[in-house]
Amino acid sequence: MRASRLIALLCLLQVRGSMTGPELARELEVSERTVARDVLALAEAGVPVYAERGRTGGYRLLGGYRSKLTGLHQAEAEALFLAGLPGPAGEMGLGDEVAAARLKARAALAPPFRDAPDRVGQRFHLDAPRWFRDAEAPAALAGLSRAVWRDKVVIATYRRSGAEEVRRVLEPHGLVLKAGVWYLAARSGDRFLVYRVDRFGDVEVGADGFARDPDFDLAAFWAARSEEFARSLLREEITVRISPLGLRRLPGVIEAAAVRAAADGAGEPDADGWVRTVLPVESHDVAHSQLLGLGAEVEVLAPPELRARLAGSAARLAALYR
């Protein structure tokens, strides 16, 4: 623990040039007395660190000194690729590793380029959670993340959509963050399945490891399952006429898979530019809510019950605003 703190202190001085005792204490989350002891230990080990007295003083390294202790541990090297996702990395329990990796990477840069991480951070930011949703990390996430990194079997309880709880022995191959929701891709028996992390109850990381499938590609697997899932929701079809403006607005109200299917099945535009097409939908109830968002830019031709329901909603709106 102390050795890693001494390396962190050395990297901080290399990156920032000079830091006061209170500044180092805040960064390292220790007392100023501990900082003084650590600086003394570095000096006794031959590191040319010295203290400047006075109001503007602090700890410095002798000019030109560069440590060779900036090598990354395996966990830090792996975590470095998550450095652009500090929130999700922290949720997975990797916040310290990411911070250490970023610090060592900065210390290894030549002085003119050490502000590169700050320049990037000031210009680009990835906000993974979706709007209007609490970004609270699921309780099981940290344990599942450890199992994914270490290729360990997990024994877990999982709540199905019908509220039924089942117990599963899983080989976790990867985690995916989609619109603020975490998912686990895991092998159960001879199949790869997707589980919502917030539906896990007790998660026990077993002592036994497992052999990862060398052909498993997390990105390709997720893309295929996402498309399959989206299409599985579209169980019914409706026939519509839709205006050019309605076509442009369509991606904002229905699923991407339905938009593609509607575009593929669209007929030739009529004299007004409207097209007739078959639109896959999850249900008539869902379609009713979605198509109301397009207002008068879409006309349902079939089924007649959905057409009548939309006509009734339009009549009530007209009466309300009369």
Side-chain angles (χ1 to χ4, degrees):
M1 182 69 172
R2 191 190 185 199
S4 62
R5 191 175 69 239
L6 290 174
I7 293 173
L9 191 156
L10 189 51
C11 288
L12 283 168
L13 293 179
Q14 281 188 206
V15 170
R16 301 189 186 177
S18 175
M19 294 184 70
T20 66
E23 288 172 341
L24 285 166
R26 284 195 299 272
E27 287 283 351
L28 300 172
E29 298 181 351
V30 295
S31 67
E32 292 183 46
R33 182 173 295 182
T34 298
V35 168
R37 285 199 297 264
D38 287 349
V39 169
L40 180 61
L42 287 174
E44 291 174 348
V47 176
V49 58
Y50 65 96
E52 287 187 334
R53 303 290 182 183
R55 191 171 57 183
T56 61
Y59 295 104
R60 295 178 181 273
L61 293 171
L62 195 64
Y65 178 82
R66 290 185 61 78
S67 163
K68 298 185 184 298
L69 296 176
T70 54
L72 300 174
H73 302 308
Q74 180 179 353
E76 293 169 351
E78 292 168 338
L80 184 59
F81 292 95
L82 296 170
L85 297 167
E91 291 176 359
M92 290 190 289
L94 295 170
D96 291 343
E97 287 80 0
V98 168
R102 286 171 60 92
L103 181 58
K104 290 183 178 181
R106 290 184 66 168
L109 292 172
F113 307 113
R114 286 180 185 161
D115 67 340
D118 292 334
R119 284 172 54 81
V120 173
Q122 290 164 359
R123 288 161 174 80
F124 303 99
H125 175 67
L126 176 61
D127 185 10
R130 59 183 291 184
W131 289 106
F132 315 119
R133 186 183 186 93
D134 292 335
E136 185 176 349
L141 180 59
L144 291 173
S145 175
R146 289 195 301 272
V148 168
W149 282 111
R150 300 170 187 172
D151 296 338
K152 294 291 187 180
V153 171
V154 297
I155 303 94
T157 57
Y158 185 75
R159 188 181 73 257
R160 288 176 169 171
S161 55
E164 173 194 4
E165 278 202 348
V166 294
R167 194 157 182 82
R168 290 283 184 263
V169 178
L170 302 172
E171 297 176 355
H173 275 59
L175 286 162
V176 175
L177 177 61
K178 170 72 170 178
V181 180
W182 285 96
Y183 297 89
L184 176 73
R187 184 166 54 192
S188 177
D190 59 353
R191 296 188 303 160
F192 280 97
L193 300 171
V194 175
Y195 300 86
R196 276 186 62 133
V197 173
D198 58 6
R199 289 184 181 172
F200 280 100
D202 296 330
V203 172
E204 176 188 346
V205 180
D208 296 335
F210 65 89
R212 292 180 66 88
D213 186 335
D215 297 325
F216 180 78
D217 182 324
L218 180 60
F221 170 79
W222 179 257
R225 285 304 173 91
S226 296
E227 180 73 13
E228 180 183 318
F229 175 72
R231 289 188 177 278
S232 72
L233 294 177
L234 306 176
R235 302 183 183 92
E236 300 185 33
E237 292 182 339
I238 62 174
T239 304
V240 299
R241 283 180 69 244
I242 186 166
S243 72
L245 177 58
L247 283 173
R248 292 195 296 272
R249 290 181 177 174
L250 199 58
V253 297
I254 66 171
E255 295 79 5
V259 173
R260 289 193 294 271
D264 292 343
E268 291 296 321
D270 61 19
D272 297 320
W274 288 53
V275 296
R276 177 176 176 141
T277 189
V278 174
L279 190 63
V281 296
E282 184 175 343
S283 68
H284 290 172
D285 284 343
V286 172
H288 174 264
S289 299
Q290 291 173 332
L291 296 183
L292 280 175
L294 293 177
E297 303 304 322
V298 64
E299 177 189 3
V300 172
L301 303 177
E305 57 269 25
L306 179 58
R307 180 182 174 89
R309 185 173 175 186
L310 281 164
S313 296
R316 288 194 297 275
L317 278 170
L320 183 63
Y321 288 100
R322 185 173 300 148

